[in-house]
Coordinates of all heavy atoms in Angstrom, one line a residue:
M1 N 111.8 127.1 68.8 CA 112.5 127.3 67.5 C 112.7 128.8 67.4 O 111.8 129.6 67.7 CB 111.6 126.8 66.4 CG 111.5 125.3 66.4 SD 110.4 124.7 65.1 CE 111.2 125.4 63.6
Y2 N 113.8 129.2 66.8 CA 114.1 130.6 66.5 C 114.4 130.7 65.0 O 114.9 129.8 64.4 CB 115.4 131.0 67.2 CG 115.2 131.0 68.7 CD1 115.3 129.9 69.5 CD2 114.9 132.2 69.3 CE1 115.1 130.0 70.9 CE2 114.7 132.3 70.7 CZ 114.8 131.2 71.5 OH 114.6 131.3 72.8
N3 N 114.0 131.8 64.4 CA 114.4 132.1 63.0 C 115.8 132.5 62.9 O 116.5 132.7 63.9 CB 113.4 133.0 62.4 CG 113.4 134.4 62.9 OD1 114.4 134.8 63.6 ND2 112.3 135.2 62.7
R4 N 116.2 132.8 61.7 CA 117.6 133.2 61.5 C 118.0 134.6 62.1 O 119.1 134.9 62.2 CB 118.0 133.1 60.0 CG 117.9 131.7 59.5 CD 118.5 131.5 58.2 NE 118.3 130.1 57.7 CZ 119.1 129.1 58.0 NH1 120.1 129.2 58.8 NH2 118.9 127.9 57.5
R5 N 117.0 135.3 62.4 CA 117.2 136.6 63.1 C 117.2 136.5 64.6 O 117.3 137.5 65.3 CB 116.2 137.6 62.6 CG 116.3 138.0 61.1 CD 115.3 139.0 60.7 NE 113.9 138.6 60.9 CZ 113.2 138.0 60.0 NH1 113.7 137.7 58.8 NH2 111.9 137.6 60.3
G6 N 117.1 135.3 65.1 CA 117.1 135.1 66.5 C 115.8 135.3 67.2 O 115.7 135.4 68.5
Q7 N 114.7 135.5 66.5 CA 113.4 135.7 67.0 C 112.7 134.3 67.2 O 112.7 133.5 66.3 CB 112.5 136.5 66.1 CG 113.1 137.9 65.9 CD 112.4 138.7 64.8 OE1 112.1 138.1 63.8 NE2 112.2 139.9 65.0
R8 N 112.1 134.1 68.4 CA 111.4 132.9 68.7 C 110.2 132.8 67.8 O 109.4 133.7 67.8 CB 111.0 132.8 70.2 CG 110.4 131.4 70.5 CD 109.8 131.3 71.9 NE 110.7 131.9 72.9 CZ 110.9 131.4 74.0 NH1 110.5 130.2 74.4 NH2 111.7 132.1 74.9
V9 N 110.0 131.6 67.1 CA 108.8 131.4 66.3 C 108.0 130.3 66.8 O 106.9 130.1 66.3 CB 109.2 131.2 64.8 CG1 109.9 132.4 64.2 CG2 110.2 130.0 64.7
G10 N 108.5 129.6 67.8 CA 107.7 128.5 68.4 C 108.4 127.8 69.5 O 109.6 127.8 69.6
T11 N 107.6 127.2 70.4 CA 108.1 126.5 71.5 C 107.2 125.3 71.8 O 106.0 125.3 71.7 CB 108.1 127.4 72.8 OG1 108.8 128.5 72.6 CG2 108.6 126.6 74.0
V12 N 107.9 124.2 72.0 CA 107.2 122.9 72.4 C 107.8 122.4 73.7 O 109.0 122.3 73.8 CB 107.4 121.9 71.3 CG1 106.8 120.5 71.7 CG2 106.8 122.3 69.9
Y13 N 106.9 122.1 74.6 CA 107.4 121.5 75.9 C 107.0 120.0 75.9 O 105.8 119.7 75.7 CB 106.7 122.2 77.0 CG 107.1 123.7 77.1 CD1 106.3 124.7 76.6 CD2 108.3 124.0 77.7 CE1 106.7 126.0 76.7 CE2 108.7 125.3 77.8 CZ 107.9 126.3 77.3 OH 108.3 127.6 77.4
L14 N 107.9 119.2 76.1 CA 107.7 117.7 76.3 C 108.0 117.4 77.7 O 109.1 117.8 78.2 CB 108.5 116.9 75.3 CG 108.3 117.1 73.8 CD1 109.3 116.3 73.0 CD2 106.9 116.8 73.4
G15 N 107.2 116.6 78.3 CA 107.5 116.1 79.7 C 106.8 114.8 80.0 O 105.8 114.5 79.4
R16 N 107.5 114.0 80.7 CA 107.0 112.7 81.1 C 107.3 112.4 82.5 O 108.2 112.9 83.1 CB 107.6 111.6 80.2 CG 107.4 111.7 78.8 CD 106.0 111.5 78.3 NE 105.5 110.2 78.7 CZ 104.3 109.8 78.5 NH1 103.4 110.6 77.8 NH2 103.9 108.6 78.8
M17 N 106.5 111.5 83.1 CA 106.9 111.0 84.4 C 108.2 110.2 84.3 O 108.5 109.7 83.2 CB 105.8 110.1 85.0 CG 104.5 110.8 85.3 SD 104.6 112.0 86.6 CE 105.0 111.0 88.0
P18 N 109.0 110.2 85.4 CA 110.3 109.4 85.3 C 110.0 108.0 84.8 O 109.1 107.3 85.2 CB 110.8 109.5 86.7 CG 110.2 110.7 87.3 CD 108.8 110.8 86.7
E19 N 110.9 107.6 83.9 CA 110.8 106.3 83.3 C 112.2 105.8 83.0 O 113.0 106.5 82.6 CB 110.0 106.4 82.0 CG 109.9 105.2 81.1 CD 109.2 105.5 79.8 OE1 109.4 106.5 79.2 OE2 108.4 104.6 79.4
P20 N 112.5 104.5 83.3 CA 113.8 104.0 83.0 C 114.2 104.2 81.5 O 113.4 103.8 80.6 CB 113.7 102.5 83.3 CG 112.5 102.4 84.2 CD 111.6 103.5 83.8
G21 N 115.3 104.9 81.3 CA 115.8 105.1 79.9 C 115.1 106.2 79.2 O 115.4 106.5 78.0
Q22 N 114.1 106.8 79.7 CA 113.3 107.9 79.1 C 112.8 107.5 77.7 O 112.8 108.3 76.8 CB 114.1 109.2 79.0 CG 114.5 109.7 80.4 CD 115.3 111.0 80.3 OE1 115.8 111.4 79.2 NE2 115.4 111.7 81.4
T23 N 112.4 106.3 77.6 CA 112.0 105.7 76.3 C 110.8 106.5 75.6 O 110.9 106.9 74.5 CB 111.6 104.2 76.4 OG1 112.6 103.5 77.0 CG2 111.3 103.6 75.1
T24 N 109.8 106.8 76.4 CA 108.6 107.4 75.8 C 108.9 108.9 75.4 O 108.6 109.3 74.3 CB 107.4 107.4 76.8 OG1 107.2 106.1 77.2 CG2 106.2 108.1 76.2
L25 N 109.7 109.6 76.3 CA 110.1 111.0 75.9 C 111.0 111.0 74.7 O 110.8 111.8 73.8 CB 110.8 111.6 77.1 CG 111.2 113.0 77.0 CD1 110.0 113.9 76.8 CD2 112.0 113.5 78.2
S26 N 111.9 110.0 74.6 CA 112.8 110.0 73.4 C 112.0 109.7 72.2 O 112.2 110.3 71.1 CB 113.8 108.9 73.7 OG 114.6 109.2 74.8
E27 N 111.0 108.8 72.2 CA 110.2 108.5 71.1 C 109.4 109.7 70.6 O 109.2 110.0 69.4 CB 109.3 107.3 71.3 CG 110.0 106.0 71.5 CD 109.2 104.9 72.0 OE1 108.0 105.1 72.3 OE2 109.7 103.7 72.0
Q28 N 108.8 110.4 71.6 CA 108.0 111.6 71.3 C 108.9 112.7 70.7 O 108.5 113.3 69.7 CB 107.4 112.2 72.6 CG 106.2 111.3 73.1 CD 105.7 111.9 74.4 OE1 106.3 112.5 75.2 NE2 104.4 111.6 74.6
L29 N 110.1 112.9 71.2 CA 111.0 113.9 70.7 C 111.4 113.6 69.2 O 111.4 114.4 68.3 CB 112.2 114.1 71.6 CG 113.2 115.2 71.1 CD1 112.6 116.5 70.9 CD2 114.4 115.2 72.1
T30 N 111.7 112.3 69.0 CA 112.1 111.9 67.7 C 111.0 112.1 66.7 O 111.2 112.6 65.6 CB 112.6 110.4 67.7 OG1 113.6 110.3 68.7 CG2 113.1 110.0 66.3
A31 N 109.8 111.7 67.1 CA 108.6 111.9 66.2 C 108.4 113.4 65.9 O 108.0 113.7 64.8 CB 107.4 111.2 66.8
L32 N 108.5 114.2 66.9 CA 108.4 115.6 66.7 C 109.4 116.2 65.7 O 109.0 116.9 64.8 CB 108.5 116.4 68.1 CG 108.4 117.9 68.0 CD1 107.0 118.3 67.5 CD2 108.7 118.5 69.4
V33 N 110.7 115.9 65.9 CA 111.7 116.4 65.0 C 111.5 115.9 63.6 O 111.5 116.7 62.7 CB 113.1 115.9 65.5 CG1 114.2 116.1 64.5 CG2 113.5 116.6 66.8
L34 N 111.2 114.6 63.4 CA 110.9 114.1 62.1 C 109.7 114.7 61.4 O 109.7 115.1 60.3 CB 110.8 112.6 62.1 CG 112.1 111.9 62.4 CD1 111.9 110.4 62.6 CD2 113.2 112.1 61.3
G35 N 108.6 114.9 62.2 CA 107.4 115.6 61.7 C 107.6 117.0 61.3 O 107.1 117.4 60.2
V36 N 108.4 117.8 62.1 CA 108.7 119.2 61.7 C 109.5 119.2 60.4 O 109.2 119.9 59.5 CB 109.4 119.9 62.8 CG1 110.0 121.2 62.4 CG2 108.5 120.1 64.0
L37 N 110.5 118.4 60.4 CA 111.4 118.4 59.2 C 110.7 117.9 57.9 O 110.9 118.4 56.8 CB 112.6 117.5 59.4 CG 113.6 118.1 60.4 CD1 114.7 117.1 60.7 CD2 114.2 119.4 59.9
D38 N 109.7 117.0 58.1 CA 109.0 116.5 56.9 C 108.1 117.5 56.3 O 107.8 117.6 55.1 CB 108.1 115.3 57.4 CG 107.5 114.6 56.2 OD1 108.2 114.3 55.2 OD2 106.3 114.3 56.3
R39 N 107.6 118.5 57.2 CA 106.8 119.6 56.7 C 107.5 120.9 56.4 O 106.9 121.8 55.9 CB 105.7 119.8 57.7 CG 104.7 118.7 57.9 CD 103.8 118.8 59.1 NE 103.0 117.7 59.3 CZ 103.3 116.5 59.9 NH1 104.5 116.3 60.2 NH2 102.4 115.6 60.0
W40 N 108.8 120.9 56.7 CA 109.6 122.1 56.6 C 109.7 122.6 55.2 O 110.0 121.8 54.3 CB 111.0 121.9 57.2 CG 111.7 123.2 57.4 CD1 112.7 123.7 56.5 CD2 111.7 124.1 58.4 NE1 113.1 124.9 57.0 CE2 112.5 125.1 58.2 CE3 110.9 124.1 59.6 CZ2 112.7 126.2 59.1 CZ3 111.1 125.2 60.5 CH2 111.9 126.2 60.2
Q41 N 109.5 123.8 54.9 CA 109.7 124.4 53.6 C 110.9 125.4 53.6 O 111.1 126.1 54.6 CB 108.4 125.2 53.2 CG 107.2 124.4 53.2 CD 107.2 123.4 52.1 OE1 107.6 123.7 50.9 NE2 106.7 122.2 52.4
G42 N 111.7 125.3 52.6 CA 112.8 126.2 52.5 C 114.1 125.6 53.0 O 114.2 124.4 53.1
A43 N 115.1 126.4 53.3 CA 116.4 125.9 53.7 C 116.3 125.2 55.0 O 115.5 125.5 55.9 CB 117.4 127.1 53.8
L44 N 117.1 124.1 55.1 CA 117.1 123.3 56.3 C 117.5 124.2 57.5 O 118.5 125.0 57.4 CB 118.1 122.2 56.2 CG 118.1 121.2 57.3 CD1 116.8 120.4 57.4 CD2 119.3 120.2 57.1
P45 N 116.8 124.1 58.6 CA 117.1 124.9 59.8 C 118.4 124.4 60.4 O 118.8 123.2 60.3 CB 115.9 124.8 60.7 CG 115.3 123.5 60.4 CD 115.6 123.3 58.9
R46 N 119.1 125.3 61.2 CA 120.2 124.8 62.0 C 119.7 124.0 63.2 O 118.7 124.5 63.8 CB 121.0 126.0 62.5 CG 122.2 125.6 63.3 CD 123.0 126.8 63.7 NE 122.2 127.7 64.4 CZ 122.6 128.9 64.9 NH1 123.8 129.3 64.6 NH2 121.7 129.6 65.6
L47 N 120.2 122.9 63.4 CA 119.7 122.0 64.4 C 120.6 122.0 65.6 O 121.8 121.7 65.5 CB 119.6 120.6 63.9 CG 118.7 120.4 62.6 CD1 118.8 119.0 62.0 CD2 117.2 120.8 63.0
A48 N 120.1 122.3 66.8 CA 120.8 122.3 68.0 C 120.1 121.5 69.1 O 118.9 121.6 69.2 CB 121.0 123.7 68.5
Y49 N 120.9 120.7 69.8 CA 120.3 119.9 70.9 C 120.9 120.5 72.2 O 122.1 120.3 72.5 CB 120.7 118.4 70.7 CG 120.2 117.5 71.7 CD1 118.8 117.3 71.9 CD2 121.0 116.6 72.4 CE1 118.3 116.4 72.8 CE2 120.5 115.7 73.3 CZ 119.1 115.6 73.5 OH 118.6 114.7 74.4
V50 N 120.1 121.1 73.0 CA 120.5 121.8 74.2 C 120.0 121.0 75.4 O 118.8 120.8 75.5 CB 119.9 123.3 74.3 CG1 120.4 124.0 75.5 CG2 120.3 124.0 73.0
T51 N 120.9 120.5 76.2 CA 120.5 119.7 77.3 C 121.5 119.9 78.5 O 122.4 120.7 78.4 CB 120.6 118.1 77.0 OG1 122.0 117.8 76.9 CG2 119.9 117.8 75.7
D52 N 121.2 119.2 79.6 CA 122.1 119.3 80.8 C 123.3 118.3 80.7 O 124.1 118.2 81.6 CB 121.3 118.9 82.0 CG 120.7 117.5 82.1 OD1 121.0 116.7 81.1 OD2 120.0 117.2 83.0
M53 N 123.4 117.6 79.6 CA 124.5 116.7 79.3 C 124.5 115.5 80.2 O 125.5 114.9 80.4 CB 125.9 117.4 79.4 CG 126.0 118.5 78.4 SD 126.1 117.9 76.7 CE 126.6 119.3 75.8
G54 N 123.3 115.2 80.7 CA 123.2 114.0 81.6 C 123.4 112.7 80.7 O 123.5 112.7 79.5
S55 N 123.3 111.6 81.4 CA 123.5 110.3 80.7 C 122.4 110.0 79.7 O 122.8 109.5 78.6 CB 123.7 109.2 81.7 OG 122.4 109.0 82.5
H56 N 121.2 110.2 80.0 CA 120.1 109.9 79.1 C 120.1 110.8 77.8 O 120.1 110.3 76.7 CB 118.7 109.9 79.7 CG 118.5 108.8 80.7 ND1 118.6 107.5 80.4 CD2 118.3 108.8 82.0 CE1 118.4 106.7 81.4 NE2 118.2 107.5 82.4
P57 N 120.3 112.2 78.0 CA 120.4 113.0 76.8 C 121.6 112.7 76.0 O 121.6 112.8 74.8 CB 120.5 114.4 77.4 CG 119.8 114.3 78.8 CD 120.1 112.9 79.3
T58 N 122.7 112.3 76.6 CA 123.9 112.0 75.9 C 123.7 110.7 75.1 O 124.1 110.6 73.9 CB 125.1 111.8 76.9 OG1 125.4 113.0 77.5 CG2 126.4 111.3 76.1
T59 N 123.1 109.7 75.7 CA 122.8 108.4 75.0 C 121.9 108.7 73.8 O 122.1 108.2 72.7 CB 122.2 107.4 75.9 OG1 123.2 107.1 77.0 CG2 121.8 106.1 75.2
Y60 N 120.8 109.5 74.1 CA 119.9 109.9 73.0 C 120.6 110.6 71.8 O 120.4 110.2 70.7 CB 118.8 110.8 73.6 CG 117.8 111.2 72.5 CD1 116.8 110.3 72.0 CD2 117.8 112.5 72.0 CE1 115.9 110.7 71.1 CE2 116.8 112.9 71.1 CZ 115.9 111.9 70.6 OH 115.0 112.3 69.7
F61 N 121.5 111.5 72.2 CA 122.2 112.2 71.1 C 123.0 111.2 70.3 O 123.0 111.3 69.0 CB 123.1 113.3 71.7 CG 123.8 114.1 70.7 CD1 123.2 115.1 70.0 CD2 125.1 113.8 70.4 CE1 123.8 115.8 69.0 CE2 125.8 114.5 69.4 CZ 125.1 115.5 68.7
R62 N 123.8 110.4 71.0 CA 124.7 109.4 70.3 C 123.9 108.4 69.5 O 124.3 108.1 68.3 CB 125.6 108.8 71.3 CG 126.6 109.7 71.8 CD 127.6 109.0 72.7 NE 128.6 109.9 73.3 CZ 129.1 109.8 74.5 NH1 128.8 108.8 75.2 NH2 130.0 110.7 74.9
Q63 N 122.9 107.8 70.0 CA 122.2 106.7 69.4 C 121.1 107.1 68.4 O 120.8 106.4 67.5 CB 121.6 105.8 70.5 CG 122.7 105.1 71.3 CD 122.1 104.1 72.3 OE1 120.9 104.0 72.5 NE2 123.0 103.4 73.0
V64 N 120.5 108.3 68.6 CA 119.3 108.6 67.8 C 119.6 109.9 66.9 O 119.5 109.8 65.7 CB 118.1 108.9 68.7 CG1 116.9 109.3 67.8 CG2 117.7 107.7 69.5
L65 N 120.0 111.0 67.6 CA 120.1 112.2 66.8 C 121.3 112.2 65.8 O 121.2 112.6 64.7 CB 120.2 113.4 67.7 CG 118.9 113.8 68.4 CD1 119.2 115.1 69.2 CD2 117.8 114.0 67.5
S66 N 122.5 111.7 66.3 CA 123.7 111.7 65.5 C 123.5 111.0 64.2 O 123.9 111.5 63.1 CB 124.9 111.2 66.2 OG 125.3 112.1 67.2
P67 N 122.9 109.8 64.2 CA 122.7 109.1 62.9 C 121.4 109.4 62.1 O 121.2 108.9 61.1 CB 122.7 107.6 63.3 CG 122.2 107.6 64.7 CD 122.7 108.9 65.3
L68 N 120.6 110.3 62.7 CA 119.3 110.6 62.1 C 119.4 111.3 60.7 O 120.3 112.2 60.5 CB 118.5 111.6 63.1 CG 117.0 111.7 62.8 CD1 116.3 110.4 63.0 CD2 116.5 112.8 63.8
C69 N 118.6 110.8 59.8 CA 118.6 111.3 58.5 C 117.3 112.1 58.2 O 116.2 111.8 58.8 CB 118.7 110.2 57.4 SG 120.3 109.4 57.5
H70 N 117.3 113.1 57.3 CA 116.2 113.9 56.9 C 115.1 112.9 56.4 O 115.4 112.0 55.6 CB 116.5 114.9 55.9 CG 115.5 115.9 55.7 ND1 114.3 115.7 55.0 CD2 115.4 117.2 56.0 CE1 113.6 116.8 55.0 NE2 114.2 117.7 55.6
P71 N 113.8 113.1 56.9 CA 112.8 112.1 56.5 C 112.4 112.1 55.0 O 111.9 111.2 54.5 CB 111.6 112.6 57.3 CG 111.8 114.0 57.7 CD 113.3 114.1 57.8
R72 N 112.7 113.2 54.3 CA 112.4 113.3 52.8 C 113.6 113.0 52.0 O 113.5 112.3 51.0 CB 111.7 114.6 52.5 CG 110.3 114.7 52.9 CD 109.7 116.0 52.5 NE 110.5 117.1 53.1 CZ 110.3 118.4 52.9 NH1 109.4 118.8 52.0 NH2 111.0 119.3 53.5
T73 N 114.7 113.6 52.3 CA 115.9 113.5 51.5 C 116.8 112.3 51.8 O 117.6 111.9 50.9 CB 116.7 114.8 51.5 OG1 117.3 114.9 52.9 CG2 115.9 116.0 51.2
G74 N 116.7 111.8 53.0 CA 117.6 110.7 53.4 C 119.0 111.2 53.8 O 119.9 110.4 54.1
V75 N 119.3 112.5 53.7 CA 120.6 113.1 54.0 C 120.8 113.1 55.5 O 119.8 113.5 56.3 CB 120.8 114.5 53.4 CG1 122.1 115.1 53.8 CG2 120.7 114.4 51.9
R76 N 121.9 112.7 56.0 CA 122.2 112.7 57.4 C 122.1 114.2 58.0 O 122.7 115.1 57.4 CB 123.5 112.1 57.7 CG 123.8 111.9 59.2 CD 125.0 111.0 59.4 NE 125.3 110.9 60.8 CZ 126.3 110.1 61.2 NH1 127.1 109.5 60.4 NH2 126.4 110.0 62.5
L77 N 121.5 114.3 59.1 CA 121.3 115.7 59.7 C 122.5 116.0 60.5 O 123.2 115.2 61.1 CB 120.1 115.7 60.6 CG 118.7 115.5 59.9 CD1 117.6 115.3 60.9 CD2 118.4 116.6 58.9
Q78 N 122.9 117.3 60.5 CA 124.0 117.8 61.3 C 123.5 118.6 62.5 O 122.7 119.5 62.3 CB 124.9 118.7 60.4 CG 125.5 118.1 59.2 CD 126.4 117.0 59.6 OE1 127.3 117.1 60.4 NE2 126.3 115.8 58.9
W79 N 123.9 118.1 63.7 CA 123.5 118.7 64.9 C 124.6 119.4 65.6 O 125.7 119.0 65.6 CB 122.9 117.6 65.8 CG 121.6 117.0 65.4 CD1 121.5 116.0 64.5 CD2 120.3 117.4 65.7 NE1 120.2 115.7 64.3 CE2 119.4 116.6 65.0 CE3 119.8 118.4 66.6 CZ2 118.1 116.7 65.2 CZ3 118.5 118.5 66.7 CH2 117.6 117.7 66.0
Q80 N 124.2 120.5 66.3 CA 125.1 121.1 67.3 C 124.7 120.6 68.7 O 123.5 120.7 69.0 CB 125.0 122.6 67.3 CG 125.7 123.3 66.1 CD 125.6 124.8 66.2 OE1 124.6 125.3 66.5 NE2 126.7 125.4 66.0
R81 N 125.6 120.2 69.5 CA 125.2 119.7 70.9 C 125.7 120.8 71.8 O 126.9 121.2 71.9 CB 125.9 118.4 71.2 CG 125.4 117.8 72.5 CD 125.9 116.4 72.6 NE 125.5 115.9 73.9 CZ 126.3 115.2 74.7 NH1 127.5 114.9 74.3 NH2 125.9 114.8 75.8
I82 N 124.8 121.3 72.6 CA 125.1 122.5 73.5 C 124.6 122.1 74.9 O 123.5 121.6 75.2 CB 124.3 123.7 73.0 CG1 124.7 124.0 71.6 CG2 124.5 124.9 73.9 CD1 123.9 125.1 70.9
A83 N 125.5 122.5 75.9 CA 125.1 122.4 77.3 C 124.4 123.7 77.7 O 124.9 124.7 77.4 CB 126.4 122.2 78.2
D84 N 123.3 123.5 78.3 CA 122.6 124.7 78.7 C 123.4 125.5 79.8 O 124.2 124.9 80.5 CB 121.1 124.4 79.2 CG 121.1 123.8 80.6 OD1 121.2 124.5 81.6 OD2 121.0 122.5 80.6
Y85 N 123.2 126.8 79.8 CA 124.1 127.7 80.6 C 124.0 127.3 82.1 O 125.1 127.2 82.8 CB 123.7 129.1 80.4 CG 124.6 130.0 81.3 CD1 125.9 130.4 80.9 CD2 124.1 130.5 82.5 CE1 126.7 131.1 81.7 CE2 124.9 131.3 83.3 CZ 126.2 131.6 82.9 OH 126.9 132.4 83.8
Y86 N 122.9 127.1 82.6 CA 122.7 126.8 84.0 C 123.5 125.6 84.4 O 124.3 125.6 85.4 CB 121.2 126.6 84.4 CG 121.1 126.1 85.8 CD1 121.1 127.0 86.9 CD2 120.9 124.8 86.1 CE1 120.9 126.6 88.2 CE2 120.8 124.3 87.4 CZ 120.8 125.2 88.4 OH 120.7 124.8 89.7
H87 N 123.4 124.5 83.7 CA 124.1 123.3 84.1 C 125.6 123.5 83.8 O 126.5 123.0 84.6 CB 123.6 122.1 83.3 CG 122.2 121.7 83.9 ND1 121.1 122.2 83.4 CD2 121.9 120.8 84.9 CE1 120.1 121.6 84.1 NE2 120.6 120.8 85.0
A88 N 126.0 124.1 82.7 CA 127.4 124.3 82.4 C 128.1 125.1 83.5 O 129.2 124.8 84.0 CB 127.6 125.0 81.1
A89 N 127.4 126.2 84.0 CA 128.0 127.0 85.0 C 128.1 126.2 86.3 O 129.0 126.3 87.1 CB 127.1 128.3 85.2
S90 N 127.1 125.4 86.6 CA 127.1 124.5 87.8 C 128.2 123.6 87.7 O 128.9 123.4 88.7 CB 125.8 123.8 87.9 OG 125.8 122.8 88.9
Y91 N 128.5 123.0 86.6 CA 129.6 122.0 86.5 C 131.0 122.7 86.7 O 131.9 122.2 87.3 CB 129.6 121.3 85.1 CG 128.4 120.5 84.8 CD1 127.9 120.4 83.5 CD2 127.6 119.9 85.8 CE1 126.7 119.6 83.2 CE2 126.5 119.2 85.6 CZ 126.1 119.0 84.3 OH 124.9 118.3 84.0
V92 N 131.1 123.9 86.1 CA 132.3 124.7 86.3 C 132.5 125.0 87.8 O 133.6 124.9 88.3 CB 132.4 126.0 85.4 CG1 133.5 126.9 85.8 CG2 132.4 125.6 84.0
G93 N 131.4 125.4 88.5 CA 131.5 125.7 89.9 C 132.0 124.5 90.7 O 132.8 124.6 91.6
K94 N 131.4 123.4 90.4 CA 131.8 122.1 91.1 C 133.3 121.8 90.8 O 134.0 121.3 91.7 CB 130.9 121.0 90.7 CG 129.5 121.1 91.3 CD 128.6 120.0 90.8 CE 127.2 120.3 91.3 NZ 126.2 119.2 90.8
L95 N 133.7 122.0 89.6 CA 135.1 121.7 89.2 C 136.0 122.6 90.0 O 137.0 122.2 90.5 CB 135.2 121.9 87.7 CG 136.7 121.7 87.2 CD1 137.1 120.2 87.4 CD2 136.7 122.0 85.7
S96 N 135.6 123.9 90.1 CA 136.5 124.9 90.8 C 136.6 124.5 92.3 O 137.7 124.7 92.9 CB 136.0 126.3 90.6 OG 134.8 126.5 91.3
E97 N 135.6 124.0 92.9 CA 135.6 123.6 94.3 C 136.6 122.4 94.5 O 137.3 122.4 95.4 CB 134.2 123.2 94.8 CG 133.2 124.3 94.9 CD 131.8 123.8 95.2 OE1 131.7 122.6 95.5 OE2 130.9 124.7 95.1
G98 N 136.6 121.5 93.5 CA 137.5 120.4 93.6 C 139.0 120.8 93.4 O 139.9 120.2 94.0
V99 N 139.2 121.8 92.5 CA 140.6 122.3 92.3 C 141.1 123.0 93.5 O 142.3 122.9 93.8 CB 140.6 123.1 91.0 CG1 142.0 123.8 90.8 CG2 140.2 122.3 89.8
V100 N 140.3 123.8 94.1 CA 140.7 124.7 95.2 C 141.1 123.8 96.4 O 142.0 124.2 97.2 CB 139.6 125.7 95.6 CG1 139.9 126.4 96.9 CG2 139.4 126.6 94.5
R101 N 140.4 122.7 96.7 CA 140.7 121.9 97.8 C 142.0 121.2 97.7 O 142.8 120.8 97.4 CB 139.6 120.8 98.0 CG 138.3 121.5 98.3 CD 137.3 120.5 98.6 NE 136.0 121.2 98.8 CZ 134.9 120.7 98.9 NH1 134.7 119.4 98.7 NH2 133.8 121.4 99.1

């Protein structure tokens, strides 16, 4: 998590052994997000989902995060979906190789 000045205020690492559909990891992440928002004081933070844009993160974003509502207000949350730089650069490199051939 970063504050509005761009300073890191916290980091949480979630990891699981490979599992079909990443069910356990998805449940843990959802519980973490809802728990943080339930205790959050002040203006709602900007919410960003940064992933490699793989199939499981995409499904999670579409099925869970996009329709997710704030646990106290019931208002639908607005998310930014971002491809992490490493994977985005890798995809562009692979695309350029295909175009050149």
Side-chain angles (χ1 to χ4, degrees):
M1 292 179 56
Y2 292 85
N3 65 18
R4 296 196 184 274
R5 293 183 299 270
Q7 299 168 321
R8 186 189 317 226
V9 295
T11 301
V12 175
Y13 296 97
L14 298 176
R16 300 292 302 177
M17 292 298 293
E19 173 186 40
Q22 297 182 346
T23 305
T24 304
L25 183 63
S26 297
E27 290 170 356
Q28 288 176 331
L29 180 56
T30 304
L32 176 65
V33 168
L34 291 173
V36 167
L37 291 174
D38 190 46
R39 292 166 183 81
W40 191 264
Q41 299 294 318
L44 186 66
R46 182 176 57 183
L47 302 171
Y49 184 55
V50 183
T51 72
D52 64 3
M53 298 293 189
S55 64
H56 291 301
T58 297
T59 299
Y60 179 75
F61 182 80
R62 288 183 181 151
Q63 293 180 357
V64 179
L65 290 183
S66 290
L68 195 64
C69 294
H70 193 286
R72 284 184 299 175
T73 67
V75 174
R76 190 170 178 176
L77 298 169
Q78 298 297 313
W79 290 88
Q80 288 184 309
R81 187 169 177 223
I82 301 169
D84 72 81
Y85 177 80
Y86 172 81
H87 286 91
S90 172
Y91 300 149
V92 171
K94 289 176 184 176
L95 178 64
S96 70
E97 290 174 10
V99 171
V100 171
R101 293 182 183 171

